[in-house]
Amino acid sequence: IGCTDIICCIFFIVAIVGYVAVGILAWTHGDPRKVIYPTDSLGQYCGQGKLEKKPLLFYFNMMKCASPMVLLEFQCPTPQCFFFFLCVEKCPDRTLTLVTAIAKPEDWKYYKSYCREDPGNKPMTEILQKKLCPAYLISSKPFLQRCFPSLGKKGEVITVGDQDKFNDGEKIRDAKDLVAGMKNATVVMEGRQVAMKIFEDYTKSWYWILICLLIAVVLSLIFIVLLRYLAGIMVWVMILMVIAVVACGIAYSSIKYVNLKDTAGSNITLQQLGFQPDFSVYLHIRQTWLAFIIILAILEVIIIIILIFLRNRIRIAVELMKEASRAVGYVMSSLFYPIFTFFLLTIVIAYWGITAVFLSTSSEPVYKVFNETDCPHGRQTCEPENFTISAMKTDCPRSECLFAFYGGETPYHKYLIFFQFYNVFLFFWCANFVTALGQMTLAGAFASYYWAPNKPNDMPAYPLCASLGRSLRYHTGSLAFGSLILAIVQIIRVLLEYIDHKLKGAENKFAKFLLCCLKCCFWCLEKFIKFINRNAYIMVAIYGKNFCRSARDAFFLLMRNVIRVVVLDKVTDFILFLGKLLIVGLVGIFAFFFFSGQTDAFKDAAPSLHYYWVPILTVLVGSYLIAHGFFSVYAMCVDTLFLCFLEDLERNDGSPERPFLMSENLRNVLRKKNQPVDF
């Protein structure tokens, strides 16, 4: 055994080193606080540093802007339309205007806590002109660490602070003016309440959910064991059921055809009837049912003919599935290998996600000139430290230099989009590499079972660990090569989806058609490459050749046995689909009767929940993932044994020098025998 695809291995290692460098660069420049904590108009984080006791963001006159939903977008749409962001300890719990608050000392003391600085004894006009204090306070509630007006209803009238009107310092406004801006926020707030209830349900039912998932694990193991004994019965019952269903369709169509014999108007032809938008009309015509009889009869004959000619290949598929159950029984640790794959994928996803967050927060705060009147410097970049002595302030005395958004114009920020692309591409490459490592490791373990002359005595002591070691030591380059090809196709699909998203509003039908064709072609290409890669990894695990030679050998080997491939693939897929359906159905039914409390036996044990469908859906999804994890190992075992079986047929002839290594049952199905050894 030698190392394969060394150049690609080196390239992969260099790419990983570069990926780590991008991560370090992102972690050095990034600051997740930019998305976690709100930022005031001076670029300070609410709830951090000297503002630690002021975690909430309060907005001065929000009605200055076109829509209060701008609050969630962190910037104003025009230079004249701006408001000041201020970090506060708590949101206002009463509705006041600056006019009424100044008149009452108690209210004025409360009001000043929402001012940018202490206004002292300045007149109201100067306070408003310099924007030292908001023109009004509206009773608000915190949401996403921001203060949003608390809207209510009196009959059909929208109110804020128990009033249907409020003074914004310029004119009297209706409370309903705030509705448009608050509508989406209200939906999110209601969603937050639902999320809290769901979280509470999880805290009450998590251990019962784990019990249900443990039941799914046990059922998956039992199903795989039973396949050794019941695979043949299940396959032939499935085939007979298909034949029976088609026969029932023929019988039903024949009965309808006979019953319509004396019905008026039923003997006209479909050509005479023509096209009818109500398709139920065709069901009253005898010719329709005659067409059904002919079509179903032809289908029935085709199925029976196929079964007659392919019966031996179906028996081979059944025997291979039984053999796969035996192989899994000898390598039981393989059933839990998906946990290791899941762990590695979790690391890859976490690294990608964290790096993406740090890259997206690598920008610097950008300050812009804001002014309520026309200003030649409006929305130009400014420096808050020296703005008061700048020409901008001189030209526009009432302007202010306020935080607008996060950005940057340094060389690092110019290449930020490249780093993001590199992060996504390496995510695909690493995720595909981890999946490929799992496939090659399992293939090597199951191949060692097939090629062992005396099973299990001639197998390695720890076949799974030995296969994992070989894959990493000798075939990292091959794994990297196959996963690189797949990652390139996947990143192209992502770019096509991005272009499609950008062109949604376009009216160029040819461009849309071309894009749709490209998306379809690359989807098919991705499926084909996954199929080639899977079988190439099996051949690499068996022979230790490089990726390209293994992919070529696997492809031509399968093409020489294409009918066997189709039969085995479809039979295996259907059996595993039935297994998943059975396990998810059994566990789901149990979870429904338990968590819904509709059965007297479980009423006392079942927890009291807001939404009983929450644990049920969790159990259903978890059961499917568990069954899929176990059955993916089984499917990999079947594919590996199948390629080994085909190689066995082509390499060996049953002579003492080249005996068949397949099981005796498979030899009996193929009517092959090993010649006895002469002593």
Short mmCIF file of all heavy atoms in Angstrom, two decimals, residues 550-573:
data_model
loop_
_atom_site.label_atom_id
_atom_site.label_comp_id
_atom_site.label_asym_id
_atom_site.label_seq_id
_atom_site.Cartn_x
_atom_site.Cartn_y
_atom_site.Cartn_z
N SER A 550 -9.42 4.54 -9.56
CA SER A 550 -10.48 3.86 -8.82
C SER A 550 -11.85 4.25 -9.34
O SER A 550 -12.75 3.40 -9.48
CB SER A 550 -10.38 4.20 -7.33
OG SER A 550 -9.15 3.76 -6.79
N ALA A 551 -12.04 5.55 -9.64
CA ALA A 551 -13.32 6.01 -10.18
C ALA A 551 -13.59 5.38 -11.54
O ALA A 551 -14.72 4.94 -11.83
CB ALA A 551 -13.33 7.53 -10.29
N ARG A 552 -12.55 5.30 -12.38
CA ARG A 552 -12.71 4.68 -13.70
C ARG A 552 -13.04 3.20 -13.56
O ARG A 552 -13.98 2.69 -14.21
CB ARG A 552 -11.42 4.85 -14.50
CG ARG A 552 -11.49 4.30 -15.92
CD ARG A 552 -10.10 4.13 -16.49
NE ARG A 552 -9.32 3.15 -15.71
CZ ARG A 552 -8.03 2.90 -15.87
NH1 ARG A 552 -7.35 3.60 -16.78
NH2 ARG A 552 -7.41 2.02 -15.14
N ASP A 553 -12.28 2.47 -12.73
CA ASP A 553 -12.52 1.03 -12.55
C ASP A 553 -13.92 0.77 -12.00
O ASP A 553 -14.61 -0.16 -12.46
CB ASP A 553 -11.47 0.44 -11.62
CG ASP A 553 -10.07 0.47 -12.22
OD1 ASP A 553 -9.97 0.66 -13.45
OD2 ASP A 553 -9.09 0.31 -11.46
N ALA A 554 -14.34 1.58 -11.02
CA ALA A 554 -15.67 1.39 -10.43
C ALA A 554 -16.76 1.66 -11.45
O ALA A 554 -17.75 0.91 -11.54
CB ALA A 554 -15.84 2.31 -9.22
N PHE A 555 -16.58 2.72 -12.24
CA PHE A 555 -17.62 3.09 -13.21
C PHE A 555 -17.80 2.00 -14.27
O PHE A 555 -18.92 1.57 -14.55
CB PHE A 555 -17.24 4.41 -13.89
CG PHE A 555 -18.23 4.87 -14.92
CD1 PHE A 555 -19.45 5.40 -14.54
CD2 PHE A 555 -17.94 4.73 -16.27
CE1 PHE A 555 -20.37 5.82 -15.50
CE2 PHE A 555 -18.86 5.15 -17.23
CZ PHE A 555 -20.07 5.69 -16.84
N PHE A 556 -16.68 1.51 -14.84
CA PHE A 556 -16.79 0.49 -15.89
C PHE A 556 -17.24 -0.85 -15.32
O PHE A 556 -17.94 -1.62 -16.00
CB PHE A 556 -15.47 0.35 -16.63
CG PHE A 556 -15.19 1.50 -17.56
CD1 PHE A 556 -14.14 2.36 -17.33
CD2 PHE A 556 -16.00 1.74 -18.66
CE1 PHE A 556 -13.89 3.43 -18.19
CE2 PHE A 556 -15.76 2.80 -19.52
CZ PHE A 556 -14.70 3.64 -19.28
N LEU A 557 -16.84 -1.14 -14.09
CA LEU A 557 -17.32 -2.38 -13.45
C LEU A 557 -18.83 -2.34 -13.28
O LEU A 557 -19.52 -3.34 -13.54
CB LEU A 557 -16.63 -2.55 -12.09
CG LEU A 557 -17.03 -3.79 -11.27
CD1 LEU A 557 -16.66 -5.07 -12.01
CD2 LEU A 557 -16.37 -3.75 -9.89
N LEU A 558 -19.36 -1.20 -12.86
CA LEU A 558 -20.81 -1.07 -12.69
C LEU A 558 -21.52 -1.07 -14.03
O LEU A 558 -22.62 -1.63 -14.17
CB LEU A 558 -21.12 0.22 -11.92
CG LEU A 558 -20.65 0.26 -10.46
CD1 LEU A 558 -20.86 1.65 -9.88
CD2 LEU A 558 -21.39 -0.77 -9.62
N MET A 559 -20.93 -0.43 -15.05
CA MET A 559 -21.57 -0.41 -16.37
C MET A 559 -21.64 -1.80 -16.99
O MET A 559 -22.55 -2.11 -17.76
CB MET A 559 -20.81 0.54 -17.30
CG MET A 559 -20.99 2.02 -16.96
SD MET A 559 -22.72 2.57 -16.99
CE MET A 559 -23.10 2.57 -15.22
N ARG A 560 -20.65 -2.66 -16.68
CA ARG A 560 -20.69 -4.03 -17.19
C ARG A 560 -21.76 -4.86 -16.50
O ARG A 560 -22.09 -5.96 -16.96
CB ARG A 560 -19.31 -4.70 -17.01
CG ARG A 560 -18.22 -4.14 -17.89
CD ARG A 560 -17.00 -5.04 -17.92
NE ARG A 560 -16.34 -5.13 -16.62
CZ ARG A 560 -15.35 -4.31 -16.23
NH1 ARG A 560 -14.95 -3.33 -17.04
NH2 ARG A 560 -14.80 -4.46 -15.05
N ASN A 561 -22.27 -4.34 -15.38
CA ASN A 561 -23.31 -5.06 -14.63
C ASN A 561 -24.47 -4.12 -14.32
O ASN A 561 -25.00 -4.10 -13.21
CB ASN A 561 -22.73 -5.61 -13.32
CG ASN A 561 -21.60 -6.58 -13.55
OD1 ASN A 561 -21.80 -7.78 -13.68
ND2 ASN A 561 -20.37 -6.06 -13.60
N VAL A 562 -24.87 -3.32 -15.32
CA VAL A 562 -25.81 -2.23 -15.08
C VAL A 562 -27.17 -2.73 -14.59
O VAL A 562 -27.80 -2.10 -13.75
CB VAL A 562 -25.94 -1.36 -16.35
CG1 VAL A 562 -26.56 -2.14 -17.50
CG2 VAL A 562 -26.75 -0.11 -16.06
N ILE A 563 -27.64 -3.87 -15.10
CA ILE A 563 -28.95 -4.38 -14.68
C ILE A 563 -28.91 -4.79 -13.22
O ILE A 563 -29.83 -4.51 -12.44
CB ILE A 563 -29.39 -5.55 -15.57
CG1 ILE A 563 -29.55 -5.07 -17.02
CG2 ILE A 563 -30.70 -6.16 -15.07
CD1 ILE A 563 -29.94 -6.15 -17.99
N ARG A 564 -27.83 -5.46 -12.83
CA ARG A 564 -27.69 -5.83 -11.41
C ARG A 564 -27.64 -4.59 -10.53
O ARG A 564 -28.20 -4.58 -9.43
CB ARG A 564 -26.42 -6.66 -11.22
CG ARG A 564 -26.52 -8.09 -11.71
CD ARG A 564 -25.17 -8.79 -11.62
NE ARG A 564 -25.27 -10.19 -11.97
CZ ARG A 564 -24.23 -10.96 -12.26
NH1 ARG A 564 -23.00 -10.44 -12.24
NH2 ARG A 564 -24.39 -12.23 -12.56
N VAL A 565 -26.96 -3.57 -11.02
CA VAL A 565 -26.86 -2.32 -10.24
C VAL A 565 -28.24 -1.73 -10.01
O VAL A 565 -28.60 -1.35 -8.88
CB VAL A 565 -25.96 -1.30 -10.98
CG1 VAL A 565 -26.01 0.05 -10.28
CG2 VAL A 565 -24.53 -1.80 -11.03
N VAL A 566 -29.05 -1.62 -11.07
CA VAL A 566 -30.38 -1.02 -10.96
C VAL A 566 -31.26 -1.83 -10.02
O VAL A 566 -31.94 -1.27 -9.14
CB VAL A 566 -31.03 -0.91 -12.36
CG1 VAL A 566 -32.48 -0.45 -12.24
CG2 VAL A 566 -30.24 0.05 -13.23
N VAL A 567 -31.26 -3.16 -10.20
CA VAL A 567 -32.11 -4.02 -9.36
C VAL A 567 -31.72 -3.90 -7.90
O VAL A 567 -32.56 -3.69 -7.02
CB VAL A 567 -32.02 -5.48 -9.84
CG1 VAL A 567 -32.74 -6.40 -8.85
CG2 VAL A 567 -32.63 -5.63 -11.22
N LEU A 568 -30.40 -4.03 -7.62
CA LEU A 568 -29.95 -3.96 -6.23
C LEU A 568 -30.25 -2.60 -5.62
O LEU A 568 -30.71 -2.50 -4.48
CB LEU A 568 -28.45 -4.25 -6.16
CG LEU A 568 -27.85 -4.17 -4.75
CD1 LEU A 568 -28.29 -5.37 -3.93
CD2 LEU A 568 -26.34 -4.08 -4.78
N ASP A 569 -30.00 -1.53 -6.39
CA ASP A 569 -30.21 -0.18 -5.87
C ASP A 569 -31.67 0.05 -5.50
O ASP A 569 -31.97 0.55 -4.41
CB ASP A 569 -29.76 0.83 -6.92
CG ASP A 569 -29.82 2.26 -6.41
OD1 ASP A 569 -29.16 2.56 -5.41
OD2 ASP A 569 -30.54 3.08 -7.02
N LYS A 570 -32.58 -0.33 -6.40
CA LYS A 570 -33.99 -0.09 -6.14
C LYS A 570 -34.53 -0.97 -5.02
O LYS A 570 -35.31 -0.52 -4.18
CB LYS A 570 -34.81 -0.32 -7.43
CG LYS A 570 -34.47 0.65 -8.56
CD LYS A 570 -34.55 2.10 -8.08
CE LYS A 570 -34.07 3.06 -9.14
NZ LYS A 570 -33.97 4.45 -8.63
N VAL A 571 -34.11 -2.24 -5.01
CA VAL A 571 -34.57 -3.14 -3.95
C VAL A 571 -34.09 -2.66 -2.59
O VAL A 571 -34.85 -2.59 -1.62
CB VAL A 571 -34.09 -4.59 -4.22
CG1 VAL A 571 -34.32 -5.47 -3.00
CG2 VAL A 571 -34.83 -5.17 -5.44
N THR A 572 -32.79 -2.30 -2.51
CA THR A 572 -32.23 -1.83 -1.24
C THR A 572 -32.89 -0.53 -0.79
O THR A 572 -33.26 -0.39 0.39
CB THR A 572 -30.71 -1.61 -1.38
OG1 THR A 572 -30.10 -2.80 -1.85
CG2 THR A 572 -30.09 -1.22 -0.05
N ASP A 573 -33.05 0.41 -1.71
CA ASP A 573 -33.68 1.69 -1.36
C ASP A 573 -35.08 1.49 -0.82
O ASP A 573 -35.47 2.12 0.17
CB ASP A 573 -33.74 2.61 -2.59
CG ASP A 573 -32.39 3.21 -2.92
OD1 ASP A 573 -31.47 3.07 -2.09
OD2 ASP A 573 -32.24 3.80 -4.00
#
